[in-house]
Amino acid sequence: MTNLLDASSSGLQTAARILREGGLVAFGTETVYGLGGDATQPKTVARIFEAKNRPRFNPLISHFADAQAAFTQVVANPLAHKLADTFWPGPLTLILPRAPHSTVSDLAADGLPTLAVRVPKGETVQALLKLVQRPIAAPSANRSGRISPSDAAHVLEELDGRIDAVLDSGPCQVGVESTVLDISNPERPTLLRPGGITLEALQAVCGTIFMPETEVDAAPASPGRLLSHYAPHLPVRLNATDVAPDEALLAFGNTQPSEAAISWNLSESGNLEEAAARLFTGLRTLDKQGQSHHLRGIAVQPIPQHGLGLAIQDRLNRAAAPRPALPPEDLPA
Ligand code: TXA
Ligand code: MG
């Protein structure tokens, strides 16, 4: 079964040993919990997809303790160094050409000529990556298409029995995934996924940031941009200015409609950092309580469209998107 490890030195040693032996360990990062495995071992990477029930056409991010280690696997350009100096460790993933001698398996890179690399922030994940000294592939530690986990209990809800261990480092500080920026062509830095580093912060370093949707000849969109994603069981209604008696409310700010029987306020003071950190737990909580009270959906108040608001809205759009029939939560392996 899945071993729950604490962030003590013996917990870290155990987690590192499991990873080096090709096992799967979920661990906390500053963004969300990742489902980690040695990216150089194709069998391990295959187990990650299996544990998540994830479609195989999704390339994975390789995680490293520092930029020096990350840049052994890719061809870093001057912009990569500048971004790494500014934002690493931190919630930014860079897409760069794979180095000819890269040891990351084709399965982890999905056979692409590029590789996603990231240096996460946090004492526990940093200590773990230093011990392991391998590129660690780590998609978010949820079943494919479901809400990303922002604490160890969420990971166990989704993956207990399917992975070797969870390293508990407490709740995640940022709460939404890393920003994915394609700089394989440094002339056209392209935002593939909004996330923990804001568009404004990237623009301050890179100047113009390109968007795959609006640019005719931009790089192909991130293969992970499945429209329906982060999906709770209950349908989600966006930009709600009122709430029906049979809806749960995901509120933002201090203008929360008082009628809501079940609600979760992302941030009463209207703080977007706080809202991001509380997003996935809020969706999960409302989904559970709403279902047990036989509500018909989740209404979401408008989110300001600047700073981390873009990443929050992106996740909410996916939660609200039309979706294929979801497998039941307890689908056998
Ligand atoms: O915050 C995060 O990034 C978390 C934590 C655990 O680090 N990880 C995460 O991984 O969100 P995942 O696998 O759920 O999302 C990875 C994203 C996907 O959208 C994927 O398509 C994109 O990165 N990606 C990975 N490699 C790529 C590549 N070579 N080119 C374009 N997009 C890539
Ligand atoms: Mg994910």
Coordinates of all heavy atoms in Angstrom, one line a residue, residues 52 140 142 148 177 229-230, ligand 2:
K52 N -2.0 7.4 -12.9 CA -2.8 8.6 -13.1 C -4.0 8.3 -14.0 O -4.9 9.1 -14.2 CB -2.0 9.7 -13.7 CG -1.2 10.5 -12.7 CD -0.6 11.7 -13.4 CE -1.5 12.7 -14.0 NZ -1.9 13.8 -13.0
S140 N 1.1 16.5 -11.8 CA 0.3 16.7 -10.6 C -0.2 15.3 -10.2 O -0.6 14.5 -11.0 CB -0.8 17.7 -10.8 OG -1.5 17.4 -12.0
N142 N -2.8 13.7 -9.2 CA -4.2 13.4 -9.2 C -4.5 12.4 -10.4 O -3.6 12.3 -11.3 CB -5.0 14.7 -9.5 CG -4.5 15.4 -10.7 OD1 -3.5 16.2 -10.6 ND2 -5.1 15.3 -11.8
S148 N -6.2 19.1 -9.1 CA -4.9 18.9 -8.6 C -4.8 18.9 -7.1 O -5.6 19.7 -6.4 CB -4.0 20.0 -9.2 OG -3.9 19.9 -10.6
E177 N -0.6 25.3 -10.5 CA 0.6 24.7 -11.1 C 1.6 25.8 -11.6 O 1.2 27.0 -11.8 CB 0.3 23.8 -12.3 CG -0.4 22.5 -11.8 CD -1.9 22.7 -11.8 OE1 -2.4 23.8 -11.8 OE2 -2.6 21.6 -11.7
H229 N -10.5 19.7 -17.7 CA -9.4 19.3 -16.8 C -9.8 19.9 -15.5 O -10.6 20.7 -15.4 CB -8.2 20.0 -17.4 CG -6.9 19.3 -17.0 ND1 -5.8 19.3 -17.9 CD2 -6.5 18.6 -15.9 CE1 -4.8 18.7 -17.3 NE2 -5.2 18.2 -16.1
Y230 N -9.1 19.4 -14.4 CA -9.4 19.9 -13.1 C -10.9 19.8 -12.8 O -11.5 20.7 -12.2 CB -9.0 21.4 -13.0 CG -7.6 21.7 -13.4 CD1 -7.4 22.3 -14.7 CD2 -6.5 21.3 -12.6 CE1 -6.1 22.5 -15.1 CE2 -5.3 21.6 -13.1 CZ -5.1 22.2 -14.3 OH -3.8 22.4 -14.8
Ligands
MG2 MG -2.1 18.2 -14.0

